[in-house]
Amino acid sequence: MTEAPQASAARWRVLVVNNTRSARARHGDQRAVILDGLSAGGCELRFITADSAPGVTAALKDAMSEPHDAVVSIGGDGTLYLCLQAVAGTSTPLAIVPMGTGNDVASYFGLTKGEPQATVDAILAALANPTKRAQVDVGRVTTGDGNTNWFLTILACGFDTVVNERANLMKFPKGNSRYLASVLRELPGLEPYEYEVTLDEGGSAPRPGLLMAVGMITRYGGGFHMCPHASVTDGMLSWTHVAPIGRAKVLALLGKVMKGTHLGHNAVTSGHARRVHITVPNLRAYADGRSEEHTSELQSRQYLVC
């Protein structure tokens, strides 16, 4: 459902998804400055209120049945993912206000948290002047059961998946260090996965490895530059595959991933495609911090990314 505060002389109708639990509920004062500034600047704010991700998705879908001038995502990449499902493929612009832990999408676009008034000014300027808006590519993933979702970071499918799952459950350490700590905890159980991968219209080929990542932007996990060759304006997906290597070499490679200099490693292959089809036994994929999940009885999982 939505709540609609009254605003006088409103110029724009704006949907706001304000995830107050992002970054452990910090930055409340900044959120207040942003919301008050948008209201004072001529926005009629309608808040999406729900207690779960499916609830937010349903409320956004219902609210988008009426015209709105923008959707504002206040939170992390997971919040942005929910908003993306509502606006992708439409003419409604999406404003990103980073308030999460990783904020990979915002960082890719050069947006930083901690500057609430500058954020307000930028959103109001983009509402008033369409030339201030950027049009970007988004990815679409279809799972083997036919479920389709949009994503804007990197589709994780492999060792990075289990790292992400553990990081989501950790309360300490805080911030981006959770992802590095998760890598170290999952490393002892590292085993390669048996992928079958098809790129565009080529034939399916076995690609055993530690991960197969498909990116729209260069980074995920709070600063792991797994797809440094990615761009949101070239109309292509950028993929990175890591072949099986030992645990010590994984740690060495991790340092290169943090800098985005790993593509020259002999265990790494990469490229571009418009469509990537991945089949891998019993492994969830993650995109924008959310799992693209099959029913539990399936023995293998299939992902079509385009």
Side-chain angles (χ1 to χ4, degrees):
M1 63 179 178
T2 59
E3 296 175 357
Q6 296 297 317
S8 59
R11 297 176 61 188
W12 303 289
R13 300 182 71 210
V14 176
L15 282 173
V16 178
V17 180
N18 181 19
N19 185 353
T20 56
R21 290 177 293 183
S22 293
R24 309 301 183 192
R26 297 191 296 273
H27 316 301
D29 54 341
Q30 295 183 32
R31 297 171 192 270
V33 170
I34 291 168
L35 296 174
D36 290 345
L38 291 176
S39 293
C43 295
E44 176 190 344
L45 303 182
R46 303 188 66 192
F47 293 95
I48 299 297
T49 58
D51 295 328
S52 65
V56 171
T57 300
L60 268 171
K61 182 179 180 181
D62 181 65
M64 287 289 288
S65 63
E66 301 177 7
H68 288 86
D69 296 290
V71 173
V72 177
S73 171
I74 305 178
D77 292 320
T79 305
L80 179 61
Y81 172 89
L82 299 178
C83 295
L84 188 65
Q85 309 315 306
V87 303
T90 75
S91 60
T92 304
L94 174 60
I96 303 170
V97 181
M99 290 284 179
T101 300
N103 300 310
D104 288 299
V105 176
S107 296
Y108 176 82
F109 288 114
L111 305 174
T112 58
K113 60 183 177 184
E115 301 176 354
Q117 189 55 54
T119 298
V120 170
D121 293 342
I123 294 174
L124 293 177
L127 284 168
N129 185 355
T131 64
K132 300 289 185 180
R133 309 169 192 172
Q135 185 169 341
V136 302
D137 302 328
V138 293
R140 183 177 62 190
V141 56
T142 302
T143 56
D145 57 1
N147 188 39
T148 297
N149 289 291
W150 304 94
F151 72 100
L152 195 47
T153 57
I154 298 174
L155 182 82
C157 190
F159 181 60
D160 45 358
T161 297
V162 296
V163 166
N164 192 43
E165 287 181 326
R166 178 177 282 274
N168 286 343
L169 297 174
M170 294 171 65
K171 296 183 179 180
F172 183 84
K174 298 182 182 297
N176 297 346
S177 298
R178 283 189 303 149
Y179 295 101
L180 182 57
S182 180
V183 169
L184 298 177
R185 292 190 181 187
E186 290 293 339
L187 196 58
L190 179 66
E191 295 289 344
Y193 300 95
E194 298 299 324
Y195 298 103
E196 289 282 340
V197 179
T198 303
L199 301 173
D200 289 329
E201 302 305 321
S204 176
R207 285 182 181 264
L210 301 183
L211 64 82
M212 179 73 186
V214 182
M216 297 305 305
I217 63 174
T218 60
R219 53 179 281 172
Y220 62 175
F224 291 88
H225 295 267
M226 185 57 71
C227 296
H229 52 317
S231 169
V232 292
T233 58
D234 63 359
M236 302 291 286
L237 300 164
S238 300
W239 58 269
T240 301
H241 175 266
V242 179
I245 55 176
R247 293 172 179 82
K249 291 184 177 181
V250 168
L251 287 176
L253 183 62
L254 181 63
K256 293 181 178 291
V257 172
M258 296 292 287
K259 301 175 183 178
T261 60
H262 58 288
L263 295 190
H265 192 281
N266 58 12
V268 178
T269 54
S270 62
H272 298 89
R274 293 189 181 277
R275 291 164 61 93
V276 179
H277 187 274
I278 304 168
T279 302
V280 57
N282 198 30
L283 179 67
R284 276 187 299 204
Y286 273 76
D288 297 358
R290 301 284 176 176
S291 64
E292 307 299 346
E293 187 172 7
H294 284 273
T295 55
S296 58
E297 60 266 23
L298 288 179
Q299 295 302 306
S300 65
R301 300 171 189 267
Q302 299 182 36
Y303 305 95
L304 176 64
V305 189
C306 56

